[in-house]
Amino acid sequence: MSDIPVTDPEAPETPLDVSLRPPLFEEFTGQERTVERLQLLVEAAMQRGDALQHILLSGPPGLGKTTLAYIIGNAMGVEVRTTSGPMIEKAGDLAGLLTNIEKGGVLFIDEIHRLQPAIEEYLYPAMEDFKLDIVIDQGPSARSVRLNLASFTLIGATTRAGMISAPLRSRFGMTCRLDYYDALHLQQIVTRSAGLMGVEITEDGALEIARRSRGTPRVTNNLLRWVRDYAQVREGGIITGPVAIKALTMLEIDEDGFDEMDKRIIEGLVSLFDGGPVGLASLAVAIGEEPGTLEEVHEPYLIMQGYVKRTPQGRVAMPRAYRKLGLEPPKSAPQEELF
C-alpha cells in the first residue's frame, strides 16, 4: 500500500496561525445554526459511545470548514486525519488513510468534489459498512481483498457542492452550508484575533477591518495582520479606526472591501461593454485575468453584493455597479432584485 501525504491545504503554517483557529464550539463565531446542529450530533454520539455520522460542509473558501472539522475532532476527543480530494490518486492511498484511523476517528477530505470517480466507488462501502474492497493485480491474476475498518467519521468540505455526485452526497448524514459573515460577527473575530496576537485595537478599528473583509474570516485575519504591521511601523502599534482606514487604503481596499481587480471588473463591464451582457472569456481578456480566477475568486462576492449578475447571455452590470463608479444607471440596466 502506498502512503499518501497527509496535509491540510488550509492548514496554519506558523504557531500564530494555529492560535487563531478556535478549538471549541463555544469560541467559534457565527454560523449559529450549523454550530448548534453539529453540537447536537456530537453530544448524541458521545452519549451512545458511537462514531459521529458523516458530515458534508460546503460554502465559499475561508469561512471555517477546516476549523469546524478540527473542533468536531476535539469535541469527540479523537484524532483528525486530513487530506484533500486531488491527493487521493489510487485505491491504495485511500486504504492507507482509512486503515490507520482509530475507532471513532475523523477523516477530513478537503475539496472532496475533486475525488476521482473510481475512488468514490471505493469510498461508498467504507462509509456505509466500514469495509474496503481493494482489487490487487490486474488481468487473470486480479483478486479482491476485503479490509475491515474501524468505525470512523468522514467530514467532507467543498467549495463547489454542485460538483459532488448524487451517490456520494446521499451517504452523508448531515449537510451543512456555511454562509458569508456579517460585519458584527467579523468584528468579534477581529477582536479575538487581535487579543491572541497581543495587539491593542479599538472598537471602531475592529469594525473598519470587518467591514472590508468581504464576509470572510480568513480575509479578516489576513487584513488584521497587515493593519497590525502598518500600525506597528507608522502609528505606535495601536489600531484605531483612522489607522485601519489608512492601512487598508494603502493596500487599495476600499470601504466596500473592493480590491483593484474588483474595480477593474465593474469598470470593464460598464465602460468597455456598456454594462453587458458579455461572456466570461471576453471580460477576462479585457481586464487581464484568467476566466477561472474571475469566476471563482472575484465574481461570488460581486454577485452576492448585487454589483454583477450572471445571465444566460453573459455577465451584466447592475445599477449598484454604476453608482459605485459615480455614474447614473441607464434606463436599460437591469433592476435590482428584492429578496
Side-chain angles (χ1 to χ4, degrees):
M1 272 175 212
S2 60
D3 293 327
I4 181 172
V6 181
T7 60
D8 178 3
E10 299 183 15
E13 296 180 354
T14 69
L16 171 62
D17 294 330
V18 171
S19 67
L20 296 185
R21 287 187 184 271
L24 306 172
F25 282 119
E26 292 76 17
E27 296 184 27
F28 190 90
T29 302
Q31 313 293 344
E32 286 86 357
R33 293 183 180 179
T34 294
V35 169
E36 184 180 10
R37 294 167 186 165
L38 294 176
Q39 282 183 298
L40 190 146
L41 286 179
V42 168
E43 185 175 348
M46 293 287 287
Q47 289 179 0
R48 294 192 308 269
D50 195 6
L52 196 65
Q53 61 180 300
H54 306 302
I55 299 169
L56 178 63
L57 302 173
S58 65
L63 298 188
K65 297 184 291 294
T66 302
T67 298
L68 280 174
Y70 282 109
I71 289 176
I72 290 170
N74 289 338
M76 295 290 293
V78 297
E79 179 188 8
V80 179
R81 293 182 61 83
T82 306
T83 186
S84 65
M87 285 185 171
I88 307 177
E89 299 179 348
K90 304 183 293 296
D93 296 336
L94 182 63
L97 284 169
L98 295 178
T99 54
N100 287 312
I101 295 180
E102 62 183 1
K103 183 177 181 181
V106 172
L107 173 62
F108 175 64
I109 302 180
D110 197 19
E111 296 301 302
I112 196 171
H113 64 271
R114 295 175 65 185
L115 281 176
Q116 299 178 23
I119 300 299
E120 281 192 23
E121 294 294 334
Y122 281 110
L123 197 55
Y124 297 156
M127 294 175 68
E128 290 187 320
D129 305 319
F130 304 115
K131 297 182 185 300
L132 192 62
D133 295 314
I134 299 293
V135 177
I136 300 176
D137 293 333
Q138 296 179 350
S141 61
R143 63 188 188 279
S144 178
V145 176
R146 168 160 288 194
L147 304 176
N148 293 318
L149 307 172
S151 56
F152 71 97
T153 299
L154 174 63
I155 300 179
T158 177
T159 55
R160 308 187 71 174
M163 293 181 63
I164 296 180
S165 66
L168 179 58
R169 182 194 298 270
S170 66
R171 286 169 168 82
F172 286 98
M174 172 66 70
T175 301
C176 301
R177 174 172 175 79
L178 276 60
D179 295 316
Y180 287 104
Y181 289 62
D182 59 34
L184 292 180
H185 280 127
L186 290 175
Q187 183 184 20
Q188 296 174 29
I189 292 173
V190 172
T191 302
R192 175 185 180 274
S193 296
L196 293 172
M197 294 163 62
V199 177
E200 187 175 347
I201 189 169
T202 63
E203 186 175 336
D204 60 334
L207 182 59
E208 198 61 48
I209 295 173
R211 288 176 54 239
R212 303 178 186 226
S213 297
R214 304 169 71 94
T216 307
R218 183 182 298 157
V219 175
T220 298
N221 286 327
N222 289 339
L223 293 183
L224 174 61
R225 293 188 184 97
W226 163 255
V227 177
R228 172 200 59 185
D229 294 345
Y230 180 93
Q232 176 183 325
V233 173
R234 297 194 174 181
E235 301 289 345
I238 300 175
I239 300 176
T240 63
V243 169
I245 290 173
K246 286 190 284 187
L248 295 172
T249 299
M250 185 176 179
L251 210 57
E252 297 189 24
I253 295 178
D254 68 12
E255 64 276 4
D256 295 318
F258 274 47
D259 59 20
E260 181 184 2
M261 184 54 66
D262 297 319
K263 297 168 190 171
R264 288 171 64 181
I265 291 171
I266 61 173
E267 286 173 354
L269 264 176
V270 170
S271 62
L272 299 178
F273 299 101
D274 297 322
V278 59
L280 176 64
S282 298
L283 180 59
V285 170
I287 65 174
E289 184 58 272
E290 291 293 326
T293 303
L294 199 65
E295 184 175 26
E296 297 183 17
V297 177
H298 297 281
E299 273 194 349
Y301 180 72
L302 297 176
I303 293 172
M304 178 190 71
Q305 295 296 324
Y307 291 96
V308 176
K309 183 178 182 180
R310 287 177 184 168
T311 70
Q313 292 76 34
R315 274 61 177 173
V316 176
M318 300 294 284
R320 195 171 182 182
Y322 289 89
R323 290 193 287 269
K324 175 73 175 176
L325 300 174
L327 303 173
E328 188 66 26
K331 294 181 180 180
S332 59
Q335 296 300 309
E336 294 178 343
E337 298 177 358
L338 299 177
F339 295 94

